[in-house]
């Protein structure tokens, strides 16, 4: 069976270490009721080998790379319609998965943020994610308030998921080796289906706060709520990076009463 060539424009770095692959697969907790797992960017199936050994769930694979699809069809002939030749970013999840499912993968680093926002858009269907990201992205996802990398993505993910940094992965276990460190994180959907606030406004508040993160919230949010409508609450003197998810929810509710 011929090898698949890693393609730079697709951000492919194939994992070659089977011990790490098994560790990633075993990081799926299955705390929620799902019986299907989608692997994104399987490449030559290093993770897939371990996923397909599991009987607790059905494994689906999706890859945009036609060469990988040909390789995987040959390697796993029994998969048939569970092997999807498609762009994950444009996949209609409900057309493939009618209920909750999990996502796993060694994700292409060049579309990491797009992948995470796709997950957020489908948060009520994606109950668990285990993924390999560039270490900087993994740290951003799991950062706490006050950390310099805590930002928009941190707040949005942590609003809906328990975000855990699992372990760091060195470049030498990939082909070709990336020029950065990698890390595996786990996102587990929390029990609250919706935040206790106007979620559209919550997203606007978080984005506005961090888009001018050096400014106090009083200034950063003046486009949403004019200063003359801001009360005496001490939150206005803080910067966005100091607020927890709960703080942002409370701030959103405060603004809702004033606009």
């Amino acid at each position: 069976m011929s090898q698949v060539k890693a393609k730079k424009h697709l951000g492919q770095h194939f994992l070659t270490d089977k011990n790490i692959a098994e560790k990633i697969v075993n990081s799926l907790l299955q705390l929620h009721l799902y019986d299907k797992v989608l692997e994104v960017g399987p490449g030559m199936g290093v993770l897939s080998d371990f996923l397909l050994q599991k009987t607790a769930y059905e494994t689906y694979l999706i890859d945009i790379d036609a060469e990988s699809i040909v390789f995987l069809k040959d390697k796993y002939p029994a998969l048939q319609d569970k092997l999807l030749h498609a762009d994950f970013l444009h996949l209609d999840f409900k057309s493939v998965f009618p209920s909750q499912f999990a996502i796993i993968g060694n994700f292409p680093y060049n579309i990491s943020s797009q992948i995470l926002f796709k997950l957020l858009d489908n948060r009520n269907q994606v109950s668990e994610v285990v993924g390999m990201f560039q270490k900087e992205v993994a740290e951003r996802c799991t950062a706490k308030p006050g950390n310099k990398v805590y930002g928009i993505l941190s707040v949005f993910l942590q609003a809906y998921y328990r975000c855990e940094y699992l372990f760091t992965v060195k470049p030498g276990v990939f082909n070709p080796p990336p020029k950065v460190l990698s890390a595996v994180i786990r996102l587990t959907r929390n029990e609250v289906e919706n935040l206790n606030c106007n979620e559209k406004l919550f997203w606007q508040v978080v984005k506005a706060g961090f888009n001018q993160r050096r400014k106090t919230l009083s200034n950063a949010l003046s486009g949403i709520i004019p200063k003359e409508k801001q009360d005496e609450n001490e939150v206005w003197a803080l910067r966005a990076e100091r607020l927890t998810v709960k703080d942002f929810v409370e701030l959103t509710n405060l603004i809702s009463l004033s606009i």
Side-chain angles (χ1 to χ4, degrees), residues 208-250:
F210 282 104
N211 282 339
Q212 300 186 73
R213 65 184 299 151
R214 294 188 177 213
K215 293 186 177 181
T216 63
L217 288 166
S218 176
N219 291 316
L221 301 183
S222 59
I224 296 175
I225 176 169
K227 287 190 177 183
E228 60 269 20
K229 287 193 174 183
Q230 296 172 10
D231 60 14
E232 299 300 313
N233 196 303
E234 60 187 19
V235 71
W236 298 110
L238 300 176
R239 292 177 178 174
E241 63 194 35
R242 308 302 306 181
L243 271 62
T244 64
V245 170
K246 185 182 176 194
D247 292 335
F248 271 112
V249 169
E250 290 175 355

Coordinates of all heavy atoms in Angstrom, one line a residue, residues 208-250:
A208 N -16.3 42.6 21.6 CA -15.9 44.0 21.7 C -14.9 44.2 22.8 O -14.0 45.0 22.7 CB -17.2 44.8 22.0
G209 N -15.1 43.5 23.9 CA -14.1 43.6 25.1 C -12.7 43.2 24.7 O -11.8 44.0 25.1
F210 N -12.6 42.2 24.0 CA -11.2 41.7 23.6 C -10.6 42.3 22.4 O -9.4 42.3 22.2 CB -11.2 40.2 23.5 CG -11.2 39.4 24.8 CD1 -12.3 38.8 25.3 CD2 -10.0 39.4 25.6 CE1 -12.3 38.2 26.5 CE2 -10.0 38.7 26.8 CZ -11.2 38.1 27.3
N211 N -11.5 42.9 21.5 CA -11.0 43.5 20.3 C -10.2 44.8 20.7 O -9.4 45.3 19.9 CB -12.1 43.9 19.4 CG -12.6 42.6 18.6 OD1 -11.8 41.7 18.4 ND2 -13.8 42.7 18.0
Q212 N -10.5 45.3 21.9 CA -9.8 46.5 22.4 C -9.3 46.1 23.8 O -9.7 46.8 24.8 CB -10.6 47.7 22.4 CG -11.1 48.1 21.0 CD -11.9 49.5 21.0 OE1 -11.3 50.5 21.2 NE2 -13.2 49.4 20.9
R213 N -8.6 45.0 23.9 CA -8.3 44.4 25.2 C -7.4 45.3 26.2 O -7.4 45.1 27.4 CB -7.7 43.1 25.1 CG -6.3 43.0 24.4 CD -5.9 41.5 24.2 NE -5.8 40.8 25.5 CZ -6.0 39.5 25.7 NH1 -6.3 38.8 24.6 NH2 -5.8 39.0 26.9
R214 N -6.8 46.3 25.6 CA -6.0 47.2 26.5 C -6.8 48.3 27.1 O -6.4 49.0 28.0 CB -4.8 47.9 25.6 CG -3.8 46.8 25.2 CD -2.6 47.5 24.5 NE -1.6 46.4 24.2 CZ -0.3 46.6 24.2 NH1 0.2 47.7 24.6 NH2 0.5 45.6 23.8
K215 N -8.0 48.5 26.6 CA -8.9 49.5 27.1 C -9.8 48.9 28.3 O -10.0 47.7 28.3 CB -9.8 50.0 26.0 CG -9.1 50.8 25.0 CD -10.1 51.5 24.0 CE -9.4 52.3 23.0 NZ -10.4 53.0 22.1
T216 N -10.2 49.7 29.1 CA -11.2 49.3 30.1 C -12.5 48.9 29.4 O -12.8 49.4 28.3 CB -11.5 50.4 31.2 OG1 -12.1 51.5 30.5 CG2 -10.2 50.8 31.9
L217 N -13.3 48.1 30.1 CA -14.6 47.7 29.5 C -15.5 49.0 29.2 O -16.3 49.0 28.3 CB -15.3 46.7 30.4 CG -14.6 45.3 30.4 CD1 -15.2 44.5 31.5 CD2 -14.9 44.6 29.1
S218 N -15.4 50.0 30.1 CA -16.1 51.2 29.9 C -15.9 51.8 28.5 O -16.9 52.2 27.8 CB -15.8 52.2 31.0 OG -16.5 53.4 30.7
N219 N -14.7 51.8 28.1 CA -14.3 52.3 26.8 C -14.5 51.3 25.7 O -15.1 51.6 24.6 CB -12.9 52.8 26.7 CG -12.6 54.0 27.6 OD1 -13.4 54.9 27.5 ND2 -11.6 54.0 28.4
A220 N -14.1 50.1 25.9 CA -14.2 49.0 24.9 C -15.7 48.7 24.5 O -15.9 48.4 23.3 CB -13.5 47.7 25.4
L221 N -16.6 48.9 25.4 CA -18.0 48.5 25.2 C -18.9 49.8 24.9 O -20.1 49.6 24.8 CB -18.6 47.7 26.4 CG -17.9 46.4 26.7 CD1 -18.6 45.7 27.8 CD2 -17.8 45.5 25.5
S222 N -18.3 50.9 24.8 CA -19.0 52.1 24.6 C -19.9 52.1 23.3 O -20.9 52.8 23.2 CB -18.1 53.4 24.6 OG -17.2 53.3 23.6
G223 N -19.5 51.3 22.3 CA -20.2 51.1 21.1 C -21.5 50.3 21.3 O -22.4 50.4 20.5
I224 N -21.5 49.5 22.4 CA -22.7 48.7 22.7 C -23.6 49.4 23.7 O -24.8 49.5 23.6 CB -22.3 47.3 23.3 CG1 -21.5 46.5 22.2 CG2 -23.5 46.5 23.7 CD1 -21.0 45.2 22.7
I225 N -22.9 50.0 24.7 CA -23.7 50.8 25.7 C -22.9 52.1 26.0 O -21.8 52.0 26.5 CB -23.9 49.9 27.0 CG1 -24.6 50.8 28.1 CG2 -22.6 49.3 27.5 CD1 -25.0 50.0 29.3
P226 N -23.5 53.2 25.7 CA -22.8 54.5 25.9 C -22.5 54.7 27.3 O -23.1 54.2 28.2 CB -23.9 55.5 25.4 CG -24.9 54.8 24.6 CD -24.9 53.4 25.1
K227 N -21.4 55.5 27.5 CA -20.9 55.7 28.9 C -21.9 56.3 29.8 O -22.0 55.9 31.0 CB -19.6 56.6 28.9 CG -18.4 55.9 28.3 CD -17.2 56.7 28.5 CE -15.9 56.0 28.0 NZ -14.7 56.7 28.3
E228 N -22.8 57.1 29.3 CA -23.8 57.7 30.2 C -24.8 56.7 30.7 O -25.5 57.0 31.7 CB -24.5 58.9 29.5 CG -25.2 58.5 28.2 CD -24.4 58.7 26.9 OE1 -23.1 58.7 27.1 OE2 -25.0 58.8 25.8
K229 N -24.9 55.6 30.1 CA -25.8 54.5 30.5 C -25.1 53.5 31.4 O -25.8 52.6 31.9 CB -26.5 53.8 29.3 CG -27.5 54.7 28.6 CD -28.3 53.8 27.6 CE -29.4 54.6 27.0 NZ -30.3 53.8 26.1
Q230 N -23.8 53.6 31.6 CA -23.1 52.7 32.4 C -23.3 53.1 33.9 O -23.1 54.3 34.2 CB -21.6 52.7 32.0 CG -21.4 52.2 30.6 CD -19.9 52.3 30.2 OE1 -19.0 52.7 30.9 NE2 -19.7 52.1 28.9
D231 N -23.5 52.1 34.7 CA -23.8 52.5 36.1 C -22.5 52.6 36.9 O -21.4 52.6 36.3 CB -24.7 51.4 36.8 CG -24.2 50.0 36.7 OD1 -22.9 49.9 36.5 OD2 -24.9 49.1 37.0
E232 N -22.5 52.5 38.2 CA -21.4 52.7 39.1 C -20.6 51.3 39.4 O -19.7 51.3 40.1 CB -21.8 53.3 40.5 CG -22.4 54.7 40.3 CD -21.5 55.7 39.7 OE1 -20.3 55.7 40.1 OE2 -21.9 56.4 38.8
N233 N -21.1 50.3 38.7 CA -20.5 49.0 38.9 C -19.0 49.0 38.6 O -18.5 49.6 37.6 CB -21.2 47.9 38.0 CG -20.9 46.5 38.5 OD1 -19.7 46.1 38.6 ND2 -21.9 45.7 38.8
E234 N -18.2 48.4 39.5 CA -16.7 48.5 39.3 C -16.2 47.7 38.1 O -15.1 47.8 37.7 CB -16.0 47.9 40.6 CG -16.4 46.5 40.9 CD -15.9 46.0 42.3 OE1 -15.5 46.9 43.1 OE2 -15.8 44.8 42.5
V235 N -17.1 46.8 37.5 CA -16.7 46.0 36.4 C -16.2 46.9 35.2 O -15.4 46.5 34.4 CB -17.8 45.1 36.0 CG1 -19.0 45.8 35.3 CG2 -17.3 44.0 35.0
W236 N -16.8 48.1 35.1 CA -16.5 49.0 34.0 C -15.0 49.4 34.0 O -14.4 49.7 32.9 CB -17.4 50.2 33.9 CG -18.8 49.8 33.8 CD1 -19.8 49.9 34.7 CD2 -19.5 49.3 32.6 NE1 -21.0 49.5 34.3 CE2 -20.8 49.1 33.0 CE3 -19.0 48.9 31.4 CZ2 -21.7 48.6 32.0 CZ3 -19.9 48.4 30.4 CH2 -21.3 48.2 30.8
A237 N -14.4 49.4 35.1 CA -13.0 49.8 35.2 C -12.0 48.7 34.9 O -10.8 48.9 34.8 CB -12.7 50.4 36.6
L238 N -12.5 47.5 34.7 CA -11.7 46.3 34.4 C -11.4 46.2 32.9 O -12.2 46.7 32.1 CB -12.3 45.0 35.0 CG -12.6 45.0 36.5 CD1 -13.3 43.7 36.8 CD2 -11.3 45.1 37.3
R239 N -10.4 45.4 32.6 CA -10.2 45.0 31.2 C -10.8 43.6 31.0 O -11.0 42.8 32.0 CB -8.7 44.9 30.9 CG -8.1 46.3 30.9 CD -6.6 46.1 30.6 NE -5.9 47.4 30.6 CZ -4.6 47.6 30.5 NH1 -3.8 46.6 30.4 NH2 -4.1 48.8 30.5
A240 N -11.2 43.3 29.8 CA -11.8 42.0 29.4 C -11.1 40.8 30.0 O -11.7 39.8 30.4 CB -12.0 41.9 27.9
E241 N -9.8 40.8 29.9 CA -9.0 39.7 30.3 C -9.1 39.3 31.8 O -8.7 38.2 32.2 CB -7.5 39.9 30.0 CG -6.9 41.0 30.7 CD -5.5 41.5 30.2 OE1 -5.4 41.4 28.9 OE2 -4.7 41.8 31.0
R242 N -9.7 40.2 32.6 CA -9.9 39.9 34.0 C -11.2 39.1 34.3 O -11.4 38.6 35.4 CB -9.9 41.2 34.8 CG -8.7 42.1 34.6 CD -7.4 41.5 34.9 NE -7.3 40.9 36.2 CZ -6.2 40.3 36.6 NH1 -5.1 40.2 35.9 NH2 -6.1 39.8 37.8
L243 N -12.1 39.1 33.4 CA -13.4 38.5 33.6 C -13.5 37.0 33.3 O -13.0 36.5 32.3 CB -14.5 39.3 32.8 CG -15.1 40.5 33.4 CD1 -14.1 41.6 33.6 CD2 -16.2 41.1 32.4
T244 N -14.2 36.3 34.2 CA -14.5 34.9 34.0 C -15.8 34.8 33.1 O -16.4 35.9 32.8 CB -14.9 34.2 35.3 OG1 -16.1 34.8 35.8 CG2 -13.8 34.3 36.3
V245 N -16.1 33.6 32.6 CA -17.3 33.4 31.9 C -18.5 33.9 32.6 O -19.4 34.6 32.1 CB -17.5 31.9 31.5 CG1 -18.9 31.7 30.9 CG2 -16.4 31.5 30.5
K246 N -18.6 33.6 33.9 CA -19.7 34.0 34.8 C -19.8 35.5 34.8 O -20.9 36.1 34.8 CB -19.5 33.4 36.2 CG -20.7 33.7 37.1 CD -20.5 33.2 38.5 CE -21.6 33.6 39.4 NZ -21.3 33.3 40.8
D247 N -18.6 36.2 34.9 CA -18.6 37.7 34.9 C -19.2 38.2 33.6 O -19.9 39.2 33.6 CB -17.2 38.2 35.1 CG -16.6 37.9 36.5 OD1 -17.4 37.7 37.4 OD2 -15.4 37.8 36.6
F248 N -18.8 37.6 32.5 CA -19.3 38.1 31.2 C -20.8 37.9 31.1 O -21.5 38.7 30.5 CB -18.6 37.4 30.1 CG -17.3 38.1 29.6 CD1 -16.1 37.5 29.8 CD2 -17.4 39.3 29.0 CE1 -14.9 38.1 29.4 CE2 -16.2 40.0 28.6 CZ -15.0 39.4 28.8
V249 N -21.3 36.8 31.6 CA -22.8 36.6 31.6 C -23.5 37.6 32.5 O -24.5 38.2 32.0 CB -23.1 35.2 32.2 CG1 -24.6 35.0 32.4 CG2 -22.6 34.1 31.2
E250 N -22.9 37.9 33.6 CA -23.5 39.0 34.5 C -23.4 40.3 33.9 O -24.4 41.1 34.0 CB -22.8 39.0 35.9 CG -23.1 37.7 36.7 CD -22.3 37.6 38.0 OE1 -21.4 38.5 38.2 OE2 -22.5 36.7 38.8

